[in-house]
Amino acid sequence: MTTTPTQAVHWDLHYDIHLGATWSRFMDGLRDRKILANVCPSCDRVFVPPQAYCESCFERTDRWVELPPEGSLEVFTVAWHGFRGGPTPPYAIGGIRLDGASTLLMHWVIGLDFTEPTTLLAQLPAGSRVRAVWAPQRTGQILDIAHFEPDRD
Ligand SMILES: [Zn+2]
């Protein structure tokens, strides 16, 4: 039996991303506590995060709508191991379908009790209602939504 060799790798990256017009508008909206999506003029799919073009129709998506900060949690995964600069595990990342959206927005989800992992799916089953919690200080970036939490009202 052979062993798989490993090699230590160190990444320490700092880089700037050019947002472009579509994502800039989305981020500007977040700063103002607005979740903006755009709509394909051909198939009427609603994209959040927004896309410059519909990948199905190849149409420019230049009509904008504001979505509510609530939606359904369709899927989530739990990170049990952290990484440098990241949040302290365990934590959950969910795919949230905001009301009116055709796509999922990936974001942090809080409100899970991680002490008994076999209960996680029962705690937040697919379709659970969640709502965005805004960061107190917003700067026009995705973490202007601090996280999503269960909407148990
Ligand atoms: Zn389309």
Side-chain angles (χ1 to χ4, degrees):
M1 182 173 156
T2 59
T3 58
T4 304
T6 60
Q7 185 172 40
V9 176
H10 173 81
W11 287 2
D12 189 3
L13 300 175
H14 177 88
Y15 56 97
D16 295 321
I17 300 172
H18 177 71
L19 296 176
T22 302
W23 275 54
S24 292
R25 187 166 178 173
F26 176 64
M27 298 301 178
D28 287 348
L30 293 178
R31 187 181 53 235
D32 298 332
R33 297 183 190 208
K34 294 180 179 177
I35 302 176
L36 299 176
N38 58 12
V39 183
C40 173
S42 179
C43 68
D44 290 326
R45 290 174 66 212
V46 178
F47 299 102
V48 64
Q51 303 177 179
Y53 288 87
C54 174
E55 75 270 10
S56 297
C57 307
F58 304 109
E59 295 283 344
R60 189 159 180 76
T61 52
D62 49 7
R63 182 164 64 89
W64 290 81
V65 294
E66 182 179 348
L67 297 181
E70 296 92 19
S72 298
L73 180 68
E74 294 207 357
V75 64
F76 70 88
T77 189
V78 174
W80 296 98
H81 300 282
F83 58 93
R84 192 172 66 163
T88 302
Y91 57 87
I93 300 170
I96 296 117
R97 188 179 308 274
L98 294 172
D99 293 344
S102 303
T103 57
L104 300 183
L105 177 67
M106 305 302 290
H107 215 298
W108 310 121
V109 176
I110 67 159
L112 287 163
D113 178 357
F114 298 106
T115 55
E116 182 48 61
T118 60
T119 68
L120 288 169
L121 291 177
Q123 292 178 46
L124 278 180
S128 292
R129 300 290 298 166
V130 292
R131 65 177 164 227
V133 175
W134 296 102
Q137 304 289 325
R138 292 169 312 286
T139 58
Q141 47 117 356
I142 192 63
L143 291 178
D144 286 353
I145 299 173
H147 52 255
F148 282 79
E149 66 180 9
D151 188 353
R152 296 193 167 110
D153 292 341

